[in-house]
Structures are given as structure tokens and as C-alpha cells.
Coordinates of all heavy atoms in Angstrom, one line a residue:
M1 N -83.4 -63.5 -366.7 CA -83.6 -63.0 -365.4 C -84.2 -64.0 -364.4 O -83.8 -64.0 -363.2 CB -84.4 -61.7 -365.4 CG -83.7 -60.5 -366.0 SD -82.6 -59.8 -364.8 CE -81.9 -58.5 -365.7
E2 N -85.1 -64.7 -364.9 CA -85.8 -65.7 -364.0 C -84.8 -66.8 -363.5 O -84.9 -67.3 -362.4 CB -86.9 -66.4 -364.7 CG -88.1 -65.5 -364.9 CD -89.3 -66.2 -365.5 OE1 -89.3 -67.5 -365.3 OE2 -90.1 -65.6 -366.2
N3 N -83.8 -67.1 -364.3 CA -82.8 -68.1 -363.9 C -82.0 -67.7 -362.7 O -81.6 -68.5 -361.9 CB -81.8 -68.4 -365.1 CG -82.6 -69.1 -366.2 OD1 -83.7 -69.5 -366.1 ND2 -81.9 -69.2 -367.4
K4 N -81.7 -66.4 -362.6 CA -80.9 -65.9 -361.4 C -81.7 -66.0 -360.1 O -81.1 -66.2 -359.1 CB -80.5 -64.4 -361.7 CG -79.5 -64.3 -362.8 CD -79.1 -62.9 -362.9 CE -78.1 -62.7 -364.0 NZ -77.7 -61.3 -364.2
K5 N -83.0 -65.8 -360.2 CA -83.8 -65.8 -359.0 C -84.1 -67.2 -358.5 O -84.2 -67.4 -357.3 CB -85.1 -65.0 -359.3 CG -84.9 -63.5 -359.5 CD -86.2 -62.8 -359.8 CE -86.0 -61.4 -360.0 NZ -87.2 -60.6 -360.3
K6 N -84.3 -68.1 -359.4 CA -84.6 -69.5 -358.9 C -83.3 -70.3 -358.6 O -82.3 -70.1 -359.3 CB -85.3 -70.2 -360.1 CG -86.7 -69.8 -360.3 CD -87.4 -70.7 -361.3 CE -88.8 -70.3 -361.6 NZ -89.4 -71.2 -362.6
P7 N -83.4 -71.1 -357.6 CA -82.2 -72.0 -357.4 C -82.0 -73.0 -358.5 O -83.0 -73.3 -359.3 CB -82.6 -72.8 -356.1 CG -83.8 -72.0 -355.5 CD -84.4 -71.3 -356.6
L8 N -80.8 -73.4 -358.7 CA -80.5 -74.3 -359.8 C -81.3 -75.6 -359.9 O -81.7 -76.0 -360.9 CB -79.0 -74.6 -359.9 CG -78.1 -73.5 -360.3 CD1 -76.6 -74.0 -360.2 CD2 -78.4 -73.0 -361.7
H9 N -81.6 -76.1 -358.7 CA -82.3 -77.4 -358.7 C -83.8 -77.3 -359.2 O -84.5 -78.2 -359.5 CB -82.2 -78.1 -357.3 CG -83.0 -77.3 -356.3 ND1 -82.4 -76.3 -355.6 CD2 -84.2 -77.5 -355.7 CE1 -83.2 -75.8 -354.7 NE2 -84.3 -76.5 -354.7
E10 N -84.3 -76.0 -359.2 CA -85.7 -75.8 -359.6 C -85.8 -75.5 -361.1 O -86.9 -75.4 -361.6 CB -86.3 -74.7 -358.8 CG -86.6 -75.0 -357.3 CD -87.2 -73.9 -356.6 OE1 -87.6 -72.9 -357.2 OE2 -87.4 -74.0 -355.4
L11 N -84.7 -75.3 -361.8 CA -84.8 -75.0 -363.2 C -85.0 -76.3 -364.0 O -84.5 -77.3 -363.7 CB -83.4 -74.4 -363.7 CG -83.1 -73.0 -363.1 CD1 -81.7 -72.6 -363.6 CD2 -84.1 -72.0 -363.6
P12 N -85.8 -76.2 -365.1 CA -86.1 -77.4 -365.9 C -84.8 -77.9 -366.7 O -84.6 -79.1 -366.8 CB -87.1 -76.9 -366.9 CG -87.1 -75.4 -366.9 CD -86.5 -75.0 -365.6
H13 N -84.0 -76.9 -367.1 CA -82.8 -77.3 -367.8 C -81.6 -76.5 -367.3 O -81.7 -75.2 -367.3 CB -82.9 -77.0 -369.3 CG -84.0 -77.7 -370.0 ND1 -84.0 -79.1 -370.2 CD2 -85.2 -77.2 -370.5 CE1 -85.1 -79.4 -370.8 NE2 -85.9 -78.3 -371.0
I14 N -80.6 -77.1 -366.8 CA -79.5 -76.4 -366.2 C -78.4 -76.5 -367.3 O -78.0 -77.5 -367.8 CB -79.0 -77.1 -364.9 CG1 -80.1 -77.2 -363.9 CG2 -77.7 -76.5 -364.4 CD1 -79.7 -78.0 -362.7
T15 N -77.9 -75.3 -367.6 CA -76.8 -75.1 -368.6 C -75.5 -74.7 -367.9 O -75.5 -74.3 -366.7 CB -77.1 -74.1 -369.6 OG1 -77.2 -72.8 -369.0 CG2 -78.4 -74.4 -370.4
L16 N -74.4 -74.8 -368.6 CA -73.1 -74.4 -368.0 C -73.1 -72.9 -367.7 O -72.5 -72.5 -366.8 CB -72.0 -74.8 -369.0 CG -71.7 -76.3 -369.1 CD1 -70.6 -76.5 -370.2 CD2 -71.2 -76.8 -367.8
D17 N -73.8 -72.2 -368.5 CA -73.9 -70.7 -368.3 C -74.7 -70.4 -367.0 O -74.3 -69.5 -366.2 CB -74.7 -70.0 -369.4 CG -73.9 -70.0 -370.7 OD1 -72.6 -70.1 -370.6 OD2 -74.5 -70.0 -371.8
D18 N -75.7 -71.2 -366.7 CA -76.4 -71.1 -365.4 C -75.5 -71.4 -364.2 O -75.5 -70.6 -363.2 CB -77.6 -72.0 -365.3 CG -78.7 -71.7 -366.4 OD1 -78.8 -70.5 -366.8 OD2 -79.5 -72.6 -366.7
I19 N -74.7 -72.4 -364.4 CA -73.8 -72.8 -363.3 C -72.7 -71.7 -363.1 O -72.3 -71.3 -362.0 CB -73.1 -74.2 -363.6 CG1 -74.2 -75.2 -363.5 CG2 -72.0 -74.5 -362.6 CD1 -73.8 -76.6 -364.0
A20 N -72.2 -71.2 -364.2 CA -71.1 -70.2 -364.2 C -71.6 -68.9 -363.6 O -71.0 -68.3 -362.7 CB -70.6 -69.9 -365.6
Q21 N -72.9 -68.5 -363.9 CA -73.5 -67.3 -363.4 C -73.7 -67.5 -361.9 O -73.4 -66.6 -361.1 CB -74.8 -67.0 -364.1 CG -75.4 -65.7 -363.6 CD -74.6 -64.5 -363.8 OE1 -74.0 -64.4 -364.9 NE2 -74.5 -63.7 -362.8
R22 N -74.2 -68.7 -361.5 CA -74.5 -68.9 -360.0 C -73.1 -68.9 -359.3 O -73.1 -68.4 -358.2 CB -75.1 -70.3 -359.9 CG -75.4 -70.7 -358.5 CD -76.4 -69.9 -357.8 NE -76.7 -70.5 -356.5 CZ -77.0 -69.7 -355.5 NH1 -77.2 -68.5 -355.6 NH2 -77.2 -70.3 -354.3
K23 N -72.1 -69.4 -359.9 CA -70.8 -69.4 -359.2 C -70.3 -68.0 -359.0 O -69.8 -67.6 -358.0 CB -69.8 -70.2 -360.1 CG -68.4 -70.3 -359.5 CD -67.4 -71.1 -360.3 CE -66.0 -71.1 -359.8 NZ -65.1 -71.8 -360.6
Q24 N -70.5 -67.1 -360.0 CA -70.1 -65.7 -359.9 C -70.9 -65.0 -358.8 O -70.3 -64.2 -358.0 CB -70.3 -65.0 -361.2 CG -69.3 -65.4 -362.3 CD -67.9 -65.1 -362.0 OE1 -67.6 -64.1 -361.4 NE2 -67.0 -66.0 -362.3
D25 N -72.2 -65.3 -358.7 CA -73.0 -64.7 -357.7 C -72.6 -65.1 -356.3 O -72.5 -64.3 -355.4 CB -74.5 -65.1 -357.9 CG -75.0 -64.5 -359.2 OD1 -74.4 -63.5 -359.7 OD2 -76.1 -65.0 -359.7
V26 N -72.3 -66.4 -356.2 CA -71.9 -66.9 -354.8 C -70.5 -66.4 -354.5 O -70.3 -66.0 -353.3 CB -71.8 -68.5 -354.9 CG1 -71.1 -69.0 -353.6 CG2 -73.2 -69.0 -355.0
L27 N -69.6 -66.3 -355.4 CA -68.2 -65.7 -355.1 C -68.3 -64.2 -354.7 O -67.7 -63.8 -353.8 CB -67.3 -65.9 -356.3 CG -66.8 -67.3 -356.5 CD1 -65.9 -67.3 -357.8 CD2 -65.9 -67.7 -355.4
A28 N -69.2 -63.5 -355.4 CA -69.4 -62.1 -355.0 C -70.0 -62.0 -353.6 O -69.6 -61.1 -352.8 CB -70.3 -61.4 -356.0
A29 N -70.9 -62.8 -353.3 CA -71.5 -62.8 -351.9 C -70.5 -63.2 -350.9 O -70.4 -62.6 -349.8 CB -72.7 -63.8 -351.8
I30 N -69.6 -64.1 -351.2 CA -68.5 -64.5 -350.3 C -67.6 -63.4 -350.1 O -67.1 -63.1 -348.9 CB -67.8 -65.8 -350.8 CG1 -68.8 -67.0 -350.6 CG2 -66.5 -66.0 -350.0 CD1 -68.2 -68.3 -351.3
R31 N -67.2 -62.7 -351.1 CA -66.3 -61.5 -351.0 C -66.9 -60.4 -350.1 O -66.2 -59.9 -349.3 CB -66.0 -61.0 -352.4 CG -65.0 -61.9 -353.2 CD -64.6 -61.2 -354.5 NE -63.9 -62.2 -355.3 CZ -64.4 -62.7 -356.4 NH1 -65.6 -62.3 -356.8 NH2 -63.7 -63.6 -357.1
L32 N -68.2 -60.2 -350.3 CA -68.8 -59.2 -349.5 C -68.8 -59.6 -348.0 O -68.5 -58.7 -347.1 CB -70.3 -58.9 -349.9 CG -70.4 -58.1 -351.2 CD1 -71.9 -58.1 -351.7 CD2 -69.9 -56.7 -351.0
K33 N -69.1 -60.8 -347.7 CA -69.1 -61.3 -346.3 C -67.7 -61.2 -345.8 O -67.5 -60.9 -344.6 CB -69.7 -62.7 -346.3 CG -71.1 -62.9 -346.6 CD -71.9 -62.3 -345.5 CE -73.4 -62.5 -345.8 NZ -74.3 -61.9 -344.7
H34 N -66.7 -61.6 -346.6 CA -65.3 -61.6 -346.1 C -64.9 -60.2 -345.8 O -64.3 -59.9 -344.7 CB -64.4 -62.2 -347.2 CG -63.0 -62.2 -346.9 ND1 -62.5 -63.1 -346.0 CD2 -61.9 -61.5 -347.3 CE1 -61.2 -62.9 -345.8 NE2 -60.8 -62.0 -346.6
M35 N -65.3 -59.2 -346.6 CA -65.0 -57.8 -346.3 C -65.7 -57.3 -345.0 O -65.1 -56.6 -344.2 CB -65.3 -56.9 -347.5 CG -64.3 -57.1 -348.7 SD -64.7 -56.3 -350.2 CE -65.6 -54.8 -349.7
A36 N -66.9 -57.7 -344.9 CA -67.7 -57.3 -343.7 C -67.1 -57.9 -342.4 O -67.0 -57.2 -341.4 CB -69.2 -57.8 -343.8
I37 N -66.7 -59.2 -342.5 CA -66.0 -59.8 -341.3 C -64.7 -59.1 -341.0 O -64.4 -58.8 -339.8 CB -65.8 -61.3 -341.6 CG1 -67.2 -62.0 -341.6 CG2 -64.9 -61.9 -340.5 CD1 -67.1 -63.4 -342.0
G38 N -63.9 -58.8 -342.0 CA -62.7 -58.1 -341.8 C -62.9 -56.7 -341.2 O -62.1 -56.3 -340.3
D39 N -63.9 -56.0 -341.7 CA -64.2 -54.7 -341.1 C -64.6 -54.8 -339.6 O -64.2 -54.0 -338.8 CB -65.3 -54.0 -341.9 CG -64.8 -53.5 -343.3 OD1 -63.6 -53.5 -343.5 OD2 -65.7 -53.3 -344.1
S40 N -65.4 -55.8 -339.3 CA -65.9 -56.0 -338.0 C -64.7 -56.3 -337.1 O -64.6 -55.8 -336.0 CB -66.9 -57.1 -337.9 OG -68.1 -56.7 -338.6
A41 N -63.8 -57.2 -337.5 CA -62.6 -57.6 -336.7 C -61.7 -56.3 -336.5 O -61.2 -56.1 -335.4 CB -61.9 -58.7 -337.4
Q42 N -61.6 -55.5 -337.5 CA -60.8 -54.3 -337.4 C -61.3 -53.4 -336.4 O -60.6 -52.8 -335.6 CB -60.6 -53.7 -338.8 CG -59.7 -52.5 -338.8 CD -58.2 -52.9 -338.4 OE1 -57.8 -54.0 -338.8 NE2 -57.5 -52.0 -337.8
R43 N -62.7 -53.2 -336.4 CA -63.3 -52.3 -335.5 C -63.2 -52.8 -334.0 O -63.0 -52.1 -333.1 CB -64.8 -52.1 -335.8 CG -65.0 -51.1 -336.9 CD -66.5 -50.8 -337.0 NE -67.4 -51.9 -336.9 CZ -68.0 -52.4 -337.9 NH1 -67.9 -51.9 -339.1 NH2 -68.8 -53.5 -337.8
L44 N -63.2 -54.2 -333.9 CA -63.1 -54.7 -332.5 C -61.7 -54.5 -332.0 O -61.5 -54.3 -330.8 CB -63.4 -56.2 -332.6 CG -64.9 -56.6 -332.7 CD1 -65.0 -58.1 -332.9 CD2 -65.7 -56.2 -331.5
V45 N -60.7 -54.6 -332.8 CA -59.3 -54.6 -332.4 C -58.8 -53.2 -332.3 O -57.9 -52.9 -331.5 CB -58.5 -55.5 -333.3 CG1 -57.0 -55.4 -332.9 CG2 -58.9 -57.0 -333.2
S46 N -59.3 -52.3 -333.1 CA -58.6 -51.0 -333.3 C -58.6 -50.2 -332.0 O -57.5 -49.5 -331.8 CB -59.3 -50.2 -334.4 OG -60.7 -49.9 -334.1
P47 N -59.6 -50.1 -331.1 CA -59.4 -49.3 -329.9 C -58.2 -49.8 -329.1 O -57.4 -49.0 -328.6 CB -60.7 -49.5 -329.2 CG -61.7 -49.9 -330.1 CD -60.9 -50.6 -331.2
Y48 N -58.0 -51.1 -329.0 CA -56.9 -51.7 -328.2 C -55.6 -51.4 -328.9 O -54.6 -51.1 -328.2 CB -57.1 -53.2 -328.0 CG -58.4 -53.5 -327.3 CD1 -59.4 -54.1 -327.9 CD2 -58.6 -53.1 -325.9 CE1 -60.6 -54.4 -327.2 CE2 -59.7 -53.3 -325.3 CZ -60.8 -54.0 -325.9 OH -61.9 -54.3 -325.3
T49 N -55.6 -51.5 -330.2 CA -54.3 -51.2 -330.9 C -53.9 -49.7 -330.7 O -52.8 -49.4 -330.5 CB -54.5 -51.5 -332.4 OG1 -55.0 -52.9 -332.5 CG2 -53.2 -51.3 -333.2
K50 N -54.9 -48.9 -330.7 CA -54.6 -47.4 -330.6 C -54.1 -47.1 -329.2 O -53.0 -46.5 -329.1 CB -55.9 -46.7 -330.8 CG -55.7 -45.4 -331.5 CD -57.1 -44.7 -331.8 CE -57.0 -43.8 -333.0 NZ -58.2 -43.1 -333.2
S51 N -54.7 -47.6 -328.2 CA -54.2 -47.3 -326.8 C -52.9 -48.0 -326.6 O -52.0 -47.4 -325.9 CB -55.2 -47.8 -325.8 OG -55.3 -49.2 -325.8
T52 N -52.7 -49.1 -327.1 CA -51.4 -49.8 -327.0 C -50.3 -49.0 -327.7 O -49.2 -48.8 -327.1 CB -51.4 -51.2 -327.5 OG1 -52.4 -51.9 -326.9 CG2 -50.1 -51.9 -327.3
A53 N -50.6 -48.5 -328.8 CA -49.6 -47.7 -329.6 C -49.3 -46.4 -328.8 O -48.1 -46.0 -328.7 CB -50.1 -47.3 -330.9
E54 N -50.3 -45.8 -328.2 CA -50.0 -44.6 -327.4 C -49.2 -44.9 -326.1 O -48.3 -44.2 -325.8 CB -51.4 -43.9 -327.0 CG -52.1 -43.3 -328.1 CD -53.5 -42.8 -327.7 OE1 -53.8 -42.8 -326.5 OE2 -54.2 -42.4 -328.6
N55 N -49.5 -46.0 -325.5 CA -48.8 -46.4 -324.3 C -47.4 -46.7 -324.7 O -46.4 -46.4 -324.0 CB -49.4 -47.6 -323.6 CG -50.8 -47.2 -323.0 OD1 -51.0 -46.0 -322.7 ND2 -51.6 -48.2 -322.7
K56 N -47.2 -47.4 -325.8 CA -45.9 -47.8 -326.3 C -45.1 -46.5 -326.6 O -43.9 -46.5 -326.3 CB -46.0 -48.7 -327.5 CG -44.7 -49.3 -327.9 CD -44.9 -50.3 -329.1 CE -43.6 -50.9 -329.5 NZ -43.8 -51.8 -330.6
S57 N -45.7 -45.6 -327.2 CA -45.0 -44.3 -327.5 C -44.6 -43.6 -326.3 O -43.5 -43.1 -326.2 CB -45.9 -43.4 -328.4 OG -45.3 -42.2 -328.6
L58 N -45.5 -43.6 -325.3 CA -45.1 -42.9 -324.0 C -44.0 -43.7 -323.3 O -43.0 -43.1 -322.8 CB -46.4 -42.9 -323.1 CG -46.2 -42.2 -321.7 CD1 -45.9 -40.8 -321.9 CD2 -47.4 -42.4 -320.9
L59 N -44.0 -45.0 -323.4 CA -43.0 -45.8 -322.8 C -41.7 -45.6 -323.5 O -40.6 -45.5 -322.8 CB -43.4 -47.3 -322.8 CG -42.5 -48.2 -322.0 CD1 -42.4 -47.9 -320.6 CD2 -43.0 -49.6 -322.2
Q60 N -41.7 -45.5 -324.8 CA -40.5 -45.3 -325.6 C -39.9 -43.9 -325.2 O -38.7 -43.8 -325.1 CB -40.8 -45.4 -327.1 CG -40.9 -46.8 -327.6 CD -41.2 -46.9 -329.0 OE1 -41.6 -45.9 -329.6 NE2 -41.1 -48.1 -329.6
T61 N -40.7 -42.9 -325.1 CA -40.2 -41.6 -324.8 C -39.6 -41.6 -323.4 O -38.5 -41.0 -323.2 CB -41.4 -40.6 -324.8 OG1 -42.0 -40.6 -326.1 CG2 -40.9 -39.2 -324.5
F62 N -40.2 -42.2 -322.4 CA -39.6 -42.3 -321.1 C -38.3 -43.1 -321.1 O -37.4 -42.7 -320.5 CB -40.6 -43.0 -320.1 CG -40.1 -43.2 -318.8 CD1 -40.0 -42.2 -317.9 CD2 -39.7 -44.5 -318.4 CE1 -39.4 -42.4 -316.6 CE2 -39.1 -44.7 -317.1 CZ -39.0 -43.7 -316.2
N63 N -38.3 -44.2 -321.9 CA -37.1 -45.0 -321.9 C -36.0 -44.2 -322.6 O -34.8 -44.3 -322.1 CB -37.4 -46.3 -322.8 CG -36.4 -47.3 -322.6 OD1 -35.6 -47.3 -321.6 ND2 -36.4 -48.3 -323.4
K64 N -36.2 -43.5 -323.6 CA -35.2 -42.7 -324.2 C -34.7 -41.6 -323.3 O -33.5 -41.4 -323.2 CB -35.7 -42.0 -325.5 CG -35.8 -42.9 -326.7 CD -36.3 -42.2 -327.9 CE -36.6 -43.1 -329.1 NZ -37.1 -42.4 -330.2
G65 N -35.6 -40.9 -322.6 CA -35.2 -39.9 -321.6 C -34.3 -40.5 -320.5 O -33.3 -39.9 -320.1
F66 N -34.7 -41.7 -320.0 CA -34.0 -42.3 -319.0 C -32.6 -42.7 -319.5 O -31.6 -42.6 -318.7 CB -34.7 -43.6 -318.4 CG -34.0 -44.2 -317.3 CD1 -34.1 -43.7 -316.0 CD2 -33.4 -45.4 -317.5 CE1 -33.4 -44.3 -314.9 CE2 -32.7 -46.0 -316.4 CZ -32.7 -45.4 -315.1
L67 N -32.5 -43.3 -320.7 CA -31.2 -43.6 -321.2 C -30.3 -42.4 -321.4 O -29.1 -42.5 -321.1 CB -31.4 -44.3 -322.6 CG -32.0 -45.8 -322.5 CD1 -32.2 -46.3 -323.9 CD2 -31.0 -46.7 -321.8
I68 N -30.8 -41.3 -321.8 CA -30.0 -40.1 -322.0 C -29.5 -39.7 -320.6 O -28.3 -39.3 -320.4 CB -30.8 -39.0 -322.6 CG1 -31.1 -39.3 -324.1 CG2 -30.1 -37.6 -322.5 CD1 -32.0 -38.4 -324.8
F69 N -30.4 -39.6 -319.6 CA -30.0 -39.3 -318.2 C -29.0 -40.2 -317.7 O -28.0 -39.8 -317.1 CB -31.3 -39.3 -317.3 CG -30.9 -39.0 -315.9 CD1 -30.6 -37.7 -315.5 CD2 -31.0 -40.0 -315.0 CE1 -30.3 -37.5 -314.1 CE2 -30.6 -39.8 -313.6 CZ -30.3 -38.5 -313.2
D70 N -29.1 -41.5 -317.9 CA -28.2 -42.5 -317.4 C -26.8 -42.3 -318.1 O -25.8 -42.4 -317.5 CB -28.7 -43.9 -317.7 CG -27.9 -45.0 -317.0 OD1 -27.5 -44.8 -315.9 OD2 -27.7 -46.0 -317.7
G71 N -26.9 -42.0 -319.4 CA -25.6 -41.7 -320.1 C -24.9 -40.5 -319.6 O -23.6 -40.5 -319.5
V72 N -25.6 -39.5 -319.3 CA -25.0 -38.3 -318.7 C -24.4 -38.6 -317.4 O -23.2 -38.2 -317.1 CB -26.0 -37.1 -318.6 CG1 -25.5 -36.0 -317.8 CG2 -26.4 -36.7 -320.0
V73 N -25.1 -39.3 -316.5 CA -24.6 -39.6 -315.2 C -23.3 -40.5 -315.3 O -22.3 -40.2 -314.6 CB -25.7 -40.3 -314.3 CG1 -25.1 -40.9 -313.0 CG2 -26.8 -39.4 -314.0
V74 N -23.3 -41.5 -316.1 CA -22.2 -42.4 -316.3 C -21.0 -41.6 -316.9 O -19.9 -41.7 -316.5 CB -22.5 -43.6 -317.2 CG1 -21.3 -44.3 -317.6 CG2 -23.5 -44.5 -316.5
G75 N -21.3 -40.7 -317.8 CA -20.2 -39.8 -318.4 C -19.6 -38.9 -317.3 O -18.4 -38.8 -317.3
M76 N -20.4 -38.3 -316.5 CA -19.9 -37.5 -315.4 C -19.0 -38.3 -314.4 O -17.9 -37.8 -314.0 CB -21.0 -36.8 -314.7 CG -21.7 -35.7 -315.5 SD -23.2 -35.0 -314.7 CE -22.5 -34.3 -313.3
K77 N -19.5 -39.5 -314.1 CA -18.7 -40.3 -313.2 C -17.3 -40.7 -313.8 O -16.3 -40.7 -313.2 CB -19.4 -41.6 -312.8 CG -20.5 -41.4 -311.8 CD -21.2 -42.7 -311.5 CE -22.4 -42.5 -310.5 NZ -23.0 -43.8 -310.2
L78 N -17.4 -41.0 -315.1 CA -16.1 -41.3 -315.8 C -15.2 -40.2 -315.9 O -14.0 -40.3 -315.6 CB -16.5 -41.8 -317.2 CG -15.4 -42.3 -318.1 CD1 -14.7 -43.6 -317.5 CD2 -15.9 -42.7 -319.5
I79 N -15.7 -39.0 -316.2 CA -14.8 -37.8 -316.2 C -14.2 -37.5 -314.8 O -13.0 -37.2 -314.7 CB -15.7 -36.6 -316.7 CG1 -16.0 -36.7 -318.2 CG2 -14.9 -35.3 -316.5 CD1 -16.9 -35.7 -318.8
N80 N -15.0 -37.6 -313.8 CA -14.5 -37.4 -312.4 C -13.4 -38.4 -312.1 O -12.4 -38.1 -311.4 CB -15.6 -37.5 -311.4 CG -16.5 -36.3 -311.4 OD1 -16.1 -35.2 -311.9 ND2 -17.8 -36.4 -310.9
R81 N -13.6 -39.7 -312.4 CA -12.5 -40.7 -312.2 C -11.3 -40.4 -312.9 O -10.2 -40.5 -312.4 CB -13.0 -42.1 -312.5 CG -14.0 -42.6 -311.6 CD -14.4 -44.0 -311.9 NE -15.5 -44.5 -311.0 CZ -16.1 -45.6 -311.1 NH1 -15.8 -46.4 -312.0 NH2 -17.0 -45.9 -310.2
I82 N -11.4 -39.9 -314.2 CA -10.2 -39.6 -315.0 C -9.5 -38.4 -314.3 O -8.3 -38.3 -314.2 CB -10.6 -39.3 -316.4 CG1 -11.0 -40.6 -317.1 CG2 -9.4 -38.7 -317.2 CD1 -11.6 -40.5 -318.5
R83 N -10.3 -37.4 -313.9 CA -9.7 -36.2 -313.2 C -8.9 -36.6 -312.0 O -7.9 -36.1 -311.7 CB -10.8 -35.2 -312.9 CG -11.2 -34.4 -314.1 CD -12.2 -33.3 -313.6 NE -12.7 -32.5 -314.7 CZ -13.7 -31.7 -314.6 NH1 -14.3 -31.5 -313.5 NH2 -14.1 -31.0 -315.6
K84 N -9.6 -37.5 -311.2 CA -8.9 -37.9 -309.9 C -7.6 -38.7 -310.2 O -6.6 -38.5 -309.5 CB -9.9 -38.9 -309.1 CG -11.0 -38.1 -308.4 CD -11.8 -39.1 -307.6 CE -13.0 -38.4 -307.0 NZ -13.9 -39.3 -306.3
M85 N -7.6 -39.4 -311.3 CA -6.3 -40.2 -311.7 C -5.2 -39.2 -312.0 O -4.1 -39.4 -311.5 CB -6.6 -41.1 -312.9 CG -7.3 -42.3 -312.5 SD -7.6 -43.4 -313.9 CE -6.3 -43.1 -315.1
F86 N -5.5 -38.1 -312.7 CA -4.5 -37.1 -313.0 C -4.1 -36.2 -311.8 O -3.0 -35.7 -311.8 CB -4.9 -36.3 -314.2 CG -4.8 -37.1 -315.5 CD1 -6.0 -37.4 -316.2 CD2 -3.6 -37.5 -316.0 CE1 -5.9 -38.1 -317.4 CE2 -3.6 -38.2 -317.2 CZ -4.7 -38.5 -317.9
R87 N -5.0 -36.0 -310.9 CA -4.7 -35.1 -309.7 C -3.8 -35.8 -308.8 O -3.0 -35.2 -308.1 CB -6.0 -34.8 -309.0 CG -6.8 -33.8 -309.7 CD -8.0 -33.4 -308.9 NE -8.9 -32.6 -309.7 CZ -10.2 -32.4 -309.4 NH1 -10.7 -32.9 -308.3 NH2 -11.0 -31.6 -310.2
R88 N -3.9 -37.1 -308.6 CA -3.0 -37.9 -307.7 C -1.6 -37.8 -308.1 O -0.7 -37.8 -307.3 CB -3.5 -39.3 -307.6 CG -4.8 -39.5 -306.9 CD -5.2 -40.9 -306.8 NE -6.6 -41.0 -306.2 CZ -7.3 -42.0 -306.2 NH1 -6.9 -43.2 -306.8 NH2 -8.5 -42.0 -305.7
R89 N -1.3 -37.8 -309.3 CA 0.1 -37.9 -309.8 C 0.7 -36.6 -309.8 O 1.0 -35.6 -309.7 CB 0.2 -38.4 -311.2 CG -0.2 -39.9 -311.2 CD 0.0 -40.5 -312.5 NE -0.4 -41.9 -312.5 CZ -0.3 -42.7 -313.4 NH1 0.3 -42.4 -314.5 NH2 -0.6 -43.9 -313.3

């Protein structure tokens, strides 16, 4: 237990097991820091992502509605032109 608490350079005899244990401890600490940084970054970005997604959804709904309306108007114009062609003859 004492070997884990003391830095390696302060131990009288450094073994491969000490080095391997220290490596595992450092890797675990790095993984924890990496997860903490990822969580912080996610929290910073998430409000903007959420509002952008809502705006994008609203814009997509408006765009679909406009395309449907435009399709109906173009269809009515096309039908009227076809009717006029047959009425003239």
C-alpha cells in the first residue's frame, strides 16, 4: 500500500510491478479526466444544439408547407392552361 502513495522516484527499489501499477493508476486518472472534459464540452454545446434543432425543425415544417402550397398553385395553373387549350378548339 505504501508503494502506491509514494512517487516512484522516492521508493528504494523500483520493480516492474510498481511501474505497471503506476501506469494503471495514471491511465485511470486520464480516463476520468477525459470523461469529465467530454461531459463539460457536451454541456457547453447542448443548449445551442437543442435550439438549432428546434429552429431547424420549424424551418423544415415551414419549408414543407410552402412546397405543398407551391405545388397546389402550380397544379391549378397547369390544369387551367390545359382547360383553355381544349376550350379554344
